[in-house]
Amino acid sequence: MAIRVMAGLDEVACEAARIIAAKIGEAASEGRPFTIALSGGSTPKALYKLLAEAPYREGIDWQWVHLFFGDERCVEPRDEESNFRMVQLSLLEGIEIPARNIHRIKGELEPREAASKYEDDIKKSFKGFNEVAGGFFKGALPVFDLVLLGLGSDGHTLSIFPAGEGREELASLEATGLLVVDTDGPGPVSEADKQASPDIRRVTMTPTLVNNARLVIFMVTGKGKARAVARVTGGGEDGTPSPPACRIKPESGELLWLLDDEAASLLE
Ligand code: 6PG
């Protein structure tokens, strides 16, 4: 695990954009598709806007890039809570990327059906990539080049929230062997958190799928995340149930935390 601490959100977004552009350039030079799962919420907007501007808009050969989503709220794609809509407005409208390279989670469908169709899309797409250039599977598991994640102040990531009344335990989700599942929302959230984590049913990649990626990047900023960052990067061993984000431990890939000073303020 590597942790890089920068002054603020702009610097974190710049560093993430630099890394992503470099990784895409490597893949394109080898003639292989680049697969990235985008995170939702609000933090990554600054990154997506950067990628939709010079020098990245023209500098990245988008035809090689396949954009997936780490998770989605179960709403119409035009809904203001939709992660796809956020990505569409901040990134997709600014770049020339083939429509077939955008792998949307169909949040407008019944959640279980949306999860199943998305898992099918991932498997079918990766099978096709593997015919172009090998290395897109480890056993039966698709290998994403990069998974971008955020972190909630409660230690959630993707749409995997701390267990609560009636909410499925993460273990039971993983026990299904599915790579994409539908989950409850965060449950009753504070007014402050309502914007970031609306209590809407979700569709999410599981840690099993994420942990098979070559590179996982957490982008986390702000004082409100400092405690969660300290708990998760410290392994969550403080006697209380460890936050869901502790399950993100890439098998053989890299784990990189891009933090601003505030989010890193409780790290020793
Ligand atoms: C979502 C995200 C979620 C997000 C965190 C952090 O759908 O909301 O996938 O996991 O990354 O809630 O959100 P912010 O970056 O907006 O604080």
Side-chain angles (χ1 to χ4, degrees):
M1 172 173 74
I3 299 176
R4 289 183 204 158
V5 182
M6 283 146 268
L9 174 58
D10 289 347
E11 290 78 7
V12 167
C14 282
E15 179 65 359
R18 184 190 66 77
I19 294 167
I20 291 168
K23 296 278 181 191
I24 293 170
E26 286 166 23
S29 66
E30 294 162 12
R32 53 179 290 117
F34 185 84
T35 56
I36 177 170
L38 300 175
S39 66
S42 55
T43 302
K45 279 183 204 168
L47 164 61
Y48 302 153
K49 286 177 180 166
L50 267 183
L51 294 174
E53 295 164 359
Y56 298 114
R57 178 176 51 209
E58 298 82 10
I60 289 176
D61 193 349
W62 293 101
Q63 64 162 321
W64 290 103
V65 183
H66 282 262
L67 298 175
F68 294 81
F69 290 77
D71 68 330
E72 183 57 279
R73 291 84 180 271
C74 293
V75 293
E76 292 285 338
R78 292 174 300 282
D79 189 298
E80 62 181 20
E81 299 297 357
S82 162
N83 286 333
F84 171 77
R85 177 176 179 274
M86 180 272 287
V87 170
Q88 187 172 42
L89 295 174
S90 54
L91 174 61
L92 301 182
E93 289 183 351
I95 62 174
E96 300 280 318
I97 185 167
R100 67 175 177 281
N101 289 27
I102 299 162
H103 304 265
R104 184 173 72 84
I105 301 174
K106 295 180 171 58
E108 65 275 22
L109 299 179
E110 189 277 326
R112 191 113 330 160
E113 183 189 3
S116 170
K117 283 188 181 304
Y118 186 50
E119 177 158 339
D120 291 347
D121 177 25
I122 291 173
K123 287 177 177 170
K124 184 164 166 282
S125 301
F126 274 67
K127 194 164 170 292
F129 305 150
N130 216 44
E131 282 154 18
V132 172
F136 284 89
F137 285 94
K138 197 191 299 174
L141 285 178
V143 178
F144 275 85
D145 288 300
L146 197 157
V147 176
L148 194 59
L149 297 177
L151 181 71
S153 54
D154 60 358
H156 82 259
T157 191
L158 295 163
S159 284
I160 305 165
F161 297 93
E165 303 77 57
R167 278 207 294 282
E168 286 133 323
E169 292 287 336
L170 181 58
S172 62
L173 296 175
E174 296 263 61
T176 61
L178 293 172
L179 303 179
V180 180
V181 294
D182 56 305
T183 66
D184 295 330
V189 289
S190 67
E191 270 312 307
D193 284 344
K194 213 176 236 0
Q195 166 58 30
S197 307
D199 191 17
I200 300 171
R201 196 134 182 90
R202 312 289 190 94
V203 171
T204 187
M205 288 183 175
T206 62
T208 300
L209 180 54
V210 173
N211 287 336
N212 207 44
R214 290 193 173 84
L215 172 60
V216 178
I217 298 179
F218 274 101
M219 264 180 80
V220 191
T221 61
K223 196 164 235 13
K225 305 290 179 74
R227 184 167 177 279
V229 167
R231 287 190 68 206
V232 175
T233 56
E237 307 301 334
D238 61 3
T240 58
S242 63
C246 289
R247 293 294 298 271
I248 302 302
K249 295 189 178 82
E251 294 283 319
S252 55
E254 295 169 67
L255 176 57
L256 171 62
W257 289 80
L258 299 181
L259 306 173
D260 72 352
D261 289 329
E262 288 190 341
S265 57
L266 296 181
L267 296 183
E268 267 111 49

